[in-house]
């Protein structure tokens, strides 16, 4: 049995496929591909597959991770990729397929690229500087035990930032994995809470998934 990991894009119209619907979508994709997917055992067998991280509705991604098992040891990774790409929905594309290496528990960070569009992007950039220059960035986050105040500053890394016309373009790394998951909307909430220059978020895309040592997860 081959333990396979596929990296796929989710862009365009497919960004509006929720995580729950994505599960149904992938089930249909596997069936249409005719690939020899391994089924779970028990009273109600079903194809085994798992996504590494849920993606927020409306976000695009170039690095989504899908794990599954193939029962035919002789099938090539290229054939698996091509057969899936022939039947995936519009806006989705299998970028690569390879044997699984690291466990999902090794995931520690996710990288996002996004734009904050404003009538006064220079003022917005100054407001961002002020927020980042503080001792903490406090936001209210929903948890299984209710809403609690969280300081996201210690775990947030700005990889790059530039002001370009009417927008501030940011690349940011945030905690991700089995224990803690943040996304850029928390940073945006903190900006609005601080009374910064009004803005609209655009082109939010997850661009990388990393281990604790910043090694790219694969």
């Amino acid at each position: 049995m081959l333990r396979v990991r596929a990296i796929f894009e989710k862009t365009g119209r497919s960004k509006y496929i929720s995580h729950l619907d994505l599960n149904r979508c992938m089930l249909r994709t596997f069936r249409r591909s005719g690939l020899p997917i391994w089924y779970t055992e028990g009273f109600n067998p079903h194809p085994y597959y798992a996504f590494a991280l849920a993606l927020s509705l409306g976000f695009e991604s170039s690095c989504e991770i899908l794990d599954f098992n193939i029962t035919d040891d002789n099938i090539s990774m290229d054939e698996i990729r091509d057969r899936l790409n022939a039947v995936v929905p519009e806006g989705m594309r299998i970028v690569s397929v390879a044997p699984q290496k690291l466990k999902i528990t090794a995931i520690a960070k996710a990288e996002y690229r996004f734009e904050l569009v404003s009538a006064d992007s220079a003022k917005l950039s100054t407001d961002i500087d002020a927020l980042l220059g503080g001792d903490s960035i406090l936001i209210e986050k929903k948890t299984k035990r209710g809403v609690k105040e969280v300081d996201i500053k210690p775990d947030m890394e700005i990889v790059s930032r530039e002001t370009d016309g009417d927008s501030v373009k940011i690349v940011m790394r945030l905690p991700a994995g089995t224990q803690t998951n943040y996304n850029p909307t928390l940073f945006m909430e903190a900006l609005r809470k601080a009374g910064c220059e009004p803005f609209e978020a655009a082109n939010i895309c997850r661009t990388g998934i990393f281990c604790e040592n910043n090694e790219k997860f694969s």
Side-chain angles (χ1 to χ4, degrees), residues 111-112 156-161 170-174 210:
E111 185 174 281
Y112 296 88
M156 185 182 71
E157 177 187 354
I158 303 293
V159 178
S160 67
R161 191 183 104 205
I170 298 175
V171 176
M172 173 184 291
R173 287 188 186 179
L174 292 165
F210 299 87

Side-chain angles (χ1 to χ4, degrees), residues 133-180:
D135 294 331
S136 62
I137 300 178
L138 299 175
I139 55 93
E140 290 186 345
K141 189 175 187 301
K142 290 182 180 179
T143 69
K144 293 180 179 179
R145 297 183 179 180
V147 178
K148 70 175 183 178
E149 194 171 59
V150 176
D151 181 9
I152 63 173
K153 184 174 181 179
D155 299 314
M156 185 182 71
E157 177 187 354
I158 303 293
V159 178
S160 67
R161 191 183 104 205
E162 65 172 324
T163 303
D164 182 11
D166 63 353
S167 68
V168 179
K169 297 180 178 180
I170 298 175
V171 176
M172 173 184 291
R173 287 188 186 179
L174 292 165
T178 56
Q179 298 299 319
T180 304

Side-chain angles (χ1 to χ4, degrees), residues 2-213:
L2 294 175
R3 298 184 182 277
V4 178
R5 175 160 294 152
I7 309 298
F8 69 95
E9 295 177 346
K10 190 168 180 276
T11 61
R13 293 174 61 186
S14 71
K15 71 181 181 181
Y16 299 112
I17 300 175
S18 70
H19 187 65
L20 182 61
D21 288 336
L22 184 62
N23 277 280
R24 301 189 186 107
C25 170
M26 196 52 64
L27 177 59
R28 290 194 299 269
T29 296
F30 279 132
R31 287 174 176 167
R32 289 170 180 168
S33 73
L35 287 168
I37 302 295
W38 180 79
Y39 276 67
T40 60
E41 299 175 353
F43 182 74
N44 184 29
H46 59 274
Y48 166 79
Y49 56 93
F51 298 97
L53 295 172
L55 184 68
S56 296
L57 188 66
F59 286 20
E60 294 189 329
S61 177
S62 60
C63 59
E64 294 307 279
I65 294 171
L66 172 67
D67 286 352
F68 54 97
N69 298 334
I70 295 287
T71 58
D72 183 356
D73 291 347
N74 297 314
I75 192 170
S76 72
M77 297 296 159
D78 287 347
E79 182 179 349
I80 296 172
R81 180 199 62 209
D82 293 344
R83 287 172 67 171
L84 288 174
N85 274 331
V87 292
V88 289
E90 177 186 349
M92 291 176 61
R93 183 177 71 90
I94 308 299
V95 177
S96 64
V97 176
Q100 295 174 25
K101 295 180 181 178
L102 302 173
K103 292 183 178 180
I104 295 297
T105 51
I107 294 174
K109 305 173 185 179
E111 185 174 281
Y112 296 88
R113 181 186 69 239
F114 57 94
E115 298 179 33
L116 304 180
V117 182
S118 173
D120 191 342
S121 57
K123 174 63 165 58
L124 175 60
S125 184
T126 299
D127 291 342
I128 292 172
D129 282 334
L131 181 68
L132 295 176
D135 294 331
S136 62
I137 300 178
L138 299 175
I139 55 93
E140 290 186 345
K141 189 175 187 301
K142 290 182 180 179
T143 69
K144 293 180 179 179
R145 297 183 179 180
V147 178
K148 70 175 183 178
E149 194 171 59
V150 176
D151 181 9
I152 63 173
K153 184 174 181 179
D155 299 314
M156 185 182 71
E157 177 187 354
I158 303 293
V159 178
S160 67
R161 191 183 104 205
E162 65 172 324
T163 303
D164 182 11
D166 63 353
S167 68
V168 179
K169 297 180 178 180
I170 298 175
V171 176
M172 173 184 291
R173 287 188 186 179
L174 292 165
T178 56
Q179 298 299 319
T180 304
N181 280 292
Y182 293 166
N183 72 53
T185 58
L186 298 177
F187 175 68
M188 298 170 200
E189 287 175 18
L191 279 172
R192 292 188 173 105
K193 183 179 177 181
C196 76
E197 184 69 18
F199 65 87
E200 293 293 333
N203 302 321
I204 305 174
C205 181
R206 183 150 65 192
T207 55
I209 296 175
F210 299 87
C211 303
E212 188 63 45
N213 62 358

